[in-house]
């Protein structure tokens, strides 16, 4: 095939993929619509199975046979529904018997309303004027022939037998659907394991991804339906009590109706509230009962929507507000009112599929509640648009939310923006885009330098560190970030223009350290230029120490021999490591720089709770810890796992498994002390490259490079210590693993509290928990 034809076909591939995708989507939607007779009962059955599966599993754990457990749960559910329906039917029957007595009240109110509407009002003059105009127009219009008389054909009378058959036909459809759903539910609960295995087989070879997807979908849907039931009950019971208290008849009926109708999104609450308001209108000759009813419903709606639902739901679905509205419209158009009820669970399934199936990742973007763009991308996009003011506002919000302040912002968002600019420099950016990014970042750094000035004592000292950009404008911006971060942590520093590279540039005789900041798409490609620049600086100022900061990644870089190869005294591959290298070169005091573990407010109460709990001398806790640390070391594949308890001045090693890392240590030098102060998990991928801990003498003595710790909390929420993982080599540890470590820590404390509850201080170790080490849903 000629090259030009091949290139033409390649250019058509994206369009063909889009067309094929649209055709497939249309076929799927058509199948959902025309197959709704079977698909709707099946979908309802699957959703009900998520709610009924937990009690079935509990009965199975009690050694109840599978069939008996399923039938018992289904029959119990039918009995509860039947009892509720009977109670509601009795209320409805009693209310219907009383309705005729309200006719006079209704007629009287309507008569008064008509009188008020007919009474002279502010619009009477305008109405009379319009009437006169209308009569004049009618008089000027030619007369029309008389209208043809309409003829109405009356249907023949229907016999009682025909009426009974018509009524039976109207209810036979819903009854048949309910019976089909019941059959589906029973078989799904009986063959739950087999269905799961078949779905895993259909998913493909990636068993890990398929398992995570099914666990997440099941967990989200189960939590959503359970929380929806709790929300509806917490709304229906107060509504029934409030209506009974203010005197609206059939209060129990309206409370039950409100609880059921709230399963229907958006329109359900409106429909359920119309009935008690209408009845209050019919019962009370005045208007006070109507106003009380409307006020009660409004207060309950505010409390439920703004307090109860956010508290119970949390992030149970992970869907955005817009996707909820669109999904409700879509499923209602396909399956009618039943589709509206099932819209949220069905959309959750689509969200999870999009999260774990790369071909459908767009569903996760469109439906998920997570921000579509991360924080660095948002700042970069505003710079591309030339909106430096909004970029500054976004940056200020991130700095306020970050624990590390400006330094953390530079190391995360700031460098990420520069890396995106470098990556887009030759691939997609136009000269206008490059200019906007550079000028916008200049404005941003000027604003941050003004909002967060260095201490006056540092500003008055002659800079001992010179930060210079390597080659491009983005390098100079990175040098400005480094200089500002150094100033904020008490190190005199100044960013110089690239003219300092040359002998004609400004003299650096007063500097002890020169940091050369460099960003490039391929760090290995800068070797020759970086080597030449380092040697040039060394030749012109032989007394300075040179730190080469290659800030665009570590791929392609040499290993331990990097400083010698580049001709620098140190090579840093991250913002934090560059700061660390510079502070170490500033002298003996800076070389041992590290952060002491802070002591939070109220620590005395925490220490008192630790000693009162008896944890420091509990044999039961020690036995539990031994099993937990052994399991943690195996699950996370680390050489060392440890449980420590932290009192006022010391970190006590309560239990350790694997490579021994030393005994007790001062709290100020301990990493676990930072976990206690922060109250949440702490993950340090590389201690030697983290400015907070790299100078810690005990950590260097024990050759630790990786740490991950989760707090151990007692029943009152006090952090008694940590469950932590350690390694002599750096390693990555994602957020999901941190949540799993926290779950194991929580389970350890729950097991210990359950063991010591009867006797407070027993020494027998209970069997290991069945849930420690199990995956936790996102």
């Amino acid at each position: 095939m000629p090259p030009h034809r091949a290139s033409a076909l390649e250019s058509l591939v994206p369009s063909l993929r889009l067309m094929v995708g649209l055709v497939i989507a249309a076929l799927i939607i058509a199948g959902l619509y025309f197959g709704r007779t079977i698909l709707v009962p099946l979908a309802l059955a699957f959703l009900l199975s998520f709610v009924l599966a937990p009690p079935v599993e509990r009965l199975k754990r009690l050694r109840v046979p599978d069939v008996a457990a399923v039938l018992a749960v289904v029959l119990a559910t039918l009995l509860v529904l039947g009892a509720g329906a009977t109670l509601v039917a009795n209320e409805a029957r009693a209310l219907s018997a009383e309705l005729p007595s309200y006719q006079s009240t209704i007629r009287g109110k309507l008569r008064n309303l008509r009188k008020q509407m007919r009474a002279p009002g502010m619009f009477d003059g305008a109405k009379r004027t319009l009437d006169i105009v209308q009569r004049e127009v009618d008089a000027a219009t030619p007369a029309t022939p008389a209208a043809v008389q309409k003829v109405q054909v009356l249907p023949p009378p229907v016999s009682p037998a025909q009426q009974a058959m018509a009524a039976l036909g109207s209810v036979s459809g819903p009854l048949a659907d309910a019976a089909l759903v019941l059959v589906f539910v029973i078989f799904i609960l009986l063959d739950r394991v087999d269905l799961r295995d078949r779905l895993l087989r259909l998913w493909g070879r990636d068993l890990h991804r398929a398992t995570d997807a099914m666990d997440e979908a099941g967990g989200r849907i189960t939590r959503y339906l359970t929380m929806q039931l709790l929300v509806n009950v917490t709304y229906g019971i107060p509504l029934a009590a409030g209506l009974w208290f203010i005197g609206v008849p059939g209060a129990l009926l309206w409370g039950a109706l409100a609880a059921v109708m709230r399963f229907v999104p958006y329109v359900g609450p409106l429909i359920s509230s119309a009935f008690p308001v209408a009845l209050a209108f019919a019962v009370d000759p005045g208007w006070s009962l109507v106003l009380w009813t409307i006020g009660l419903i409004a207060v309950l709606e505010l409390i439920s929507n703004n307090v109860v639902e956010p508290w119970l739901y949390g992030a149970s679905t992970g869907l955005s507000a817009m996707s909820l509205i669109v999904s409700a419209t879509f499923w209602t158009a396909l399956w009618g009112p039943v589709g509206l009820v099932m819209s949220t669970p069905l959309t959750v399934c689509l969200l999870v599929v999009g999260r774990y199936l790369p071909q459908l990742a767009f569903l996760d973007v469109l439906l998920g509640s997570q921000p579509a763009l991360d924080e660095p991308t948002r700042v970069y996009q505003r710079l591309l648009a030339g909106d430096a003011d909004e970029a500054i506002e976004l940056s200020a919000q991130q700095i306020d939310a970050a624990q590390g302040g400006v330094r953390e912002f530079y190391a995360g968002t700031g460098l990420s923006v520069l890396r995106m600019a470098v990556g887009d420099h030759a691939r997609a950016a136009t000269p206008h885009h490059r200019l906007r990014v550079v000028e916008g970042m200049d404005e941003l750094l000027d604003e941050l330098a003004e909002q967060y000035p260095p201490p006056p004592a540092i500003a008055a000292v002659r800079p001992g560190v010179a930060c210079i950009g390597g080659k491009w404008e983005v390098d100079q911006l990175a040098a400005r970030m480094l200089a500002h971060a150094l100033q904020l942590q008490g190190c005199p520093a100044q960013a110089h223009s690239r003219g300092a590279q040359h002998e004609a540039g400004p003299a650096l005789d007063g500097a002890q350290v020169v940091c050369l900041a460099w960003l490039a798409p391929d760090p290995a490609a800068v070797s020759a230029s970086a080597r030449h620049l380092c040697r040039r600086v060394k030749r012109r100022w032989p007394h300075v120490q040179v730190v080469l900061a290659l800030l665009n990644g570590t791929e392609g870089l040499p290993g331990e021999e990097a400083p010698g190869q580049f001709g620098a005294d140190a090579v840093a591959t991250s913002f934090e490591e560059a700061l660390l290298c510079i502070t170490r070169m500033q002298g003996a005091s800076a070389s041992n720089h590290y952060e002491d573990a802070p002591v939070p407010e109220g620590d005395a109460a925490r220490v008192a709770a630790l000693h009162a709990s008896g944890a420091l001398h509990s044999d039961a806790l020690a036995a539990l810890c031994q099993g937990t640390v052994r399991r943690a070391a195996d699950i996370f594949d680390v050489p060392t796992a440890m449980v420590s308890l932290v009192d006022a001045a010391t970190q006590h090693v309560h239990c350790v498994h694997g490579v021994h890392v030393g005994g007790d240590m001062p709290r100020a030098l301990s990493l676990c002390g930072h976990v206690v102060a922060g109250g949440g998990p702490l993950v340090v991928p590389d201690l030697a490259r983290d400015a907070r801990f790299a100078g810690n003498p005990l950590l260097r003595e024990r050759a630790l490079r990786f740490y991950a710790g989760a707090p151990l909390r007692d029943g009152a929420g006090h952090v008694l210590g940590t469950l932590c993982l350690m390694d002599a080599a750096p390693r990555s540890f994602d957020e999901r693993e941190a949540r799993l470590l926290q779950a194991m820590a929580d389970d350890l404390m729950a097991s210990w509290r359950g063991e010591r509850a009867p006797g407070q201080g027993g020494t027998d170790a209970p069997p290991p928990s069945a849930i420690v080490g199990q995956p936790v849903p996102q």
Side-chain angles (χ1 to χ4, degrees):
M1 181 180 294
H4 66 279
R5 290 188 177 180
S7 61
L9 289 176
E10 290 178 359
S11 64
L12 291 175
V13 169
S15 300
L16 291 175
R17 287 179 177 173
L18 178 60
M19 292 178 62
V20 171
L22 292 176
V23 170
I24 294 175
L27 292 175
I28 292 175
I29 293 174
L32 290 173
Y33 179 77
F34 292 106
R36 60 186 182 275
T37 305
I38 297 297
L39 294 178
V40 169
L42 187 60
L44 275 174
F46 269 105
L47 295 181
L48 289 176
S49 69
F50 281 113
V51 179
L52 300 181
V56 171
E57 294 299 325
R58 291 191 183 95
L59 290 178
K60 288 181 180 179
R61 285 197 290 268
L62 297 176
R63 301 185 182 278
V64 178
D66 293 355
V67 177
V70 171
L71 293 178
V73 171
V74 171
L75 289 176
T77 304
L78 292 176
L79 288 175
V80 171
L81 293 177
T86 302
L87 186 62
V88 170
N90 291 334
E91 285 285 325
R93 188 181 301 109
L95 182 63
S96 63
E98 298 175 0
L99 285 179
S101 62
Y102 306 140
Q103 293 179 3
S104 60
T105 305
I106 297 175
R107 283 195 294 267
K109 278 191 173 181
L110 293 178
R111 196 179 303 113
N112 292 333
L113 287 175
R114 282 196 298 269
K115 289 181 180 179
Q116 293 177 3
M117 293 296 293
R118 292 173 180 174
M122 60 182 297
F123 298 107
D124 287 350
K127 182 178 183 301
R128 284 195 297 268
T129 303
L130 291 175
D131 291 340
I132 294 172
V133 173
Q134 182 65 39
R135 285 195 297 270
E136 293 295 332
V137 172
D138 293 341
T141 304
T144 57
V148 178
Q149 185 177 5
K150 295 182 179 180
V151 178
Q152 183 178 5
V153 179
L154 298 176
V158 181
S159 65
Q162 292 175 331
Q163 293 179 359
M165 292 299 297
L168 183 60
S170 63
V171 300
S172 62
L175 288 177
D177 291 339
L180 189 59
V181 169
L182 180 61
V183 172
F184 279 152
V185 166
I186 293 174
F187 280 99
I188 289 173
L189 292 175
L190 287 175
D191 295 335
R192 183 180 177 87
V193 176
D194 181 66
L195 287 173
R196 180 195 62 195
D197 295 343
R198 293 181 184 278
L199 290 175
L200 290 173
R201 178 67 181 272
L202 289 174
W203 188 276
R205 296 181 178 179
D206 194 345
L207 192 61
H208 296 83
R209 183 181 292 271
T211 301
D212 289 343
M214 294 189 64
D215 288 344
E216 182 175 349
R220 286 181 183 271
I221 293 174
T222 301
R223 286 197 304 274
Y224 168 74
L225 294 176
T226 305
M227 293 302 104
Q228 180 71 64
L229 180 61
L230 290 177
V231 168
N232 293 0
V233 170
T234 56
Y235 181 90
I237 293 177
L239 179 63
L243 293 176
W244 173 82
F245 181 77
I246 62 179
V248 177
L252 183 61
L253 173 63
W254 308 131
L257 179 65
V260 173
M261 290 302 296
R262 287 182 70 86
F263 280 104
V264 182
Y266 309 113
V267 299
L270 295 177
I271 296 174
S272 63
S273 62
F275 291 99
V277 172
L279 188 59
F281 174 84
V283 170
D284 187 16
W287 294 95
S288 60
L289 189 59
V290 176
L291 296 178
W292 276 108
T293 304
I294 294 175
L296 173 65
I297 294 174
V299 170
L300 289 178
E301 285 288 343
L302 289 175
I303 295 175
S304 179
N305 295 335
N306 298 289
V307 178
V308 178
E309 290 186 8
W311 174 49
L312 290 178
Y313 280 140
S316 60
T317 62
L319 298 173
S320 65
M322 180 60 69
S323 66
L324 286 172
I325 297 174
V326 173
S327 65
T329 306
F330 174 80
W331 291 109
T332 303
L334 282 181
W335 290 352
V338 180
L340 179 61
V341 175
M342 296 189 296
S343 61
T344 299
L346 292 174
T347 310
V348 167
C349 294
L350 293 177
L351 171 69
V352 174
V353 170
R355 179 167 296 173
Y356 288 95
L357 198 62
Q359 295 85 346
L360 299 177
F362 68 92
L363 292 175
D364 186 23
V365 177
L366 293 177
L367 303 176
S369 59
Q370 297 297 324
L373 299 177
D374 56 20
E375 298 298 342
T377 306
R378 294 179 66 196
V379 175
Y380 181 56
Q381 190 275 329
R382 299 322 302 154
L383 294 176
L384 288 176
D387 192 351
D389 293 335
E390 187 172 348
I392 292 172
E393 182 179 352
L394 291 173
S395 302
Q397 294 173 1
Q398 296 177 41
I399 292 172
D400 293 339
Q403 293 183 351
V406 177
R407 186 182 71 183
E408 183 177 336
F409 170 78
Y410 285 154
T413 301
L415 271 185
S416 297
V417 170
L418 297 183
R419 287 167 184 158
M420 285 187 280
V422 169
D424 292 342
H425 183 83
R427 181 176 57 85
T430 64
H432 291 87
H433 291 145
R434 298 168 192 159
L435 180 61
R436 290 173 182 174
V437 171
V438 172
E439 291 182 344
M441 283 300 296
D442 270 328
E443 292 184 34
L444 173 59
L445 295 181
D446 289 340
E447 181 69 21
L448 293 183
E450 181 179 348
Q451 293 295 328
Y452 303 93
I458 299 300
V461 177
R462 185 175 183 179
V465 179
C467 298
I468 304 173
K471 185 177 182 181
W472 309 103
E473 287 288 340
V474 290
D475 300 335
Q476 183 61 28
L477 294 171
R480 290 187 61 185
M481 293 182 187
L482 285 167
H484 190 202
L486 288 167
Q487 292 171 0
L488 293 177
Q489 70 178 35
C491 180
Q494 184 177 355
H496 291 268
S497 65
R498 293 197 305 276
Q501 303 170 10
H502 308 290
E503 294 181 358
L508 301 178
D509 296 332
Q512 294 87 35
V513 179
V514 173
C515 179
L516 303 175
W518 214 306
L519 288 99
D522 183 8
V526 306
S527 298
S529 301
R531 187 184 307 111
H532 175 72
L533 181 56
C534 290
R535 290 177 179 175
R536 195 181 189 91
V537 173
K538 279 286 190 180
R539 184 170 59 249
R540 175 64 180 83
W541 298 281
H543 65 282
V544 303
Q545 293 181 290
V546 178
V547 176
L548 180 60
L550 301 176
L551 301 176
N552 207 34
T554 58
E555 295 182 3
L557 290 175
E560 299 294 335
E561 69 277 7
Q565 178 174 342
F566 287 105
D569 295 283
V571 173
T573 57
S574 68
F575 193 88
E576 291 286 351
E577 187 181 4
L579 297 179
L580 177 61
C581 292
I582 293 170
T583 53
R584 283 181 175 176
M585 291 178 178
Q586 285 296 288
S589 60
S591 65
N592 292 324
H593 174 76
Y594 63 92
E595 292 185 7
D596 287 339
V599 178
E601 296 183 3
D603 191 67
R606 184 198 65 83
V607 174
L610 170 65
H611 289 283
S613 68
L616 289 169
H617 309 289
S618 171
D619 295 337
L621 180 59
L624 279 170
C625 291
Q626 191 61 49
T628 299
V629 296
R630 181 171 58 250
R631 182 174 294 183
D634 180 62
I635 288 173
F636 294 101
D637 193 22
V638 294
T640 305
M642 182 177 74
V643 167
S644 68
L645 300 174
V646 181
D647 64 10
T650 307
Q651 171 191 302
H652 301 276
V653 178
H654 199 66
C655 185
V656 65
H657 174 78
V659 180
H660 189 56
V661 293
D664 299 348
M665 62 190 304
R667 175 179 176 176
L669 298 178
S670 69
L671 291 168
C672 297
H674 288 268
V675 178
V676 170
L682 172 66
V683 177
V684 187
D686 190 349
L687 292 166
R689 293 186 171 182
D690 194 306
R692 297 171 295 174
F693 311 113
N696 190 310
L698 276 179
L699 300 181
R700 287 190 292 175
E701 176 186 338
R702 299 178 182 185
L704 292 178
R705 296 291 296 274
F706 166 77
Y707 175 88
L712 299 171
R713 296 185 180 88
D714 64 5
H718 296 113
V719 180
L720 307 185
T722 66
L723 169 64
C724 56
L725 312 173
M726 291 168 285
D727 199 346
R731 60 185 298 151
S732 60
F733 203 79
D734 59 29
E735 185 178 350
R736 184 180 178 87
E737 292 174 310
R739 287 197 298 269
L740 178 57
L741 181 63
Q742 182 63 69
M744 296 182 68
D746 294 341
D747 188 68
L748 170 63
M749 295 303 291
S751 299
W752 180 55
R753 289 195 297 269
E755 164 64 19
R756 72 190 185 97
Q760 295 294 324
T763 59
D764 295 334
S769 170
I771 65 172
V772 172
Q774 299 298 320
V776 292
Q778 291 186 347

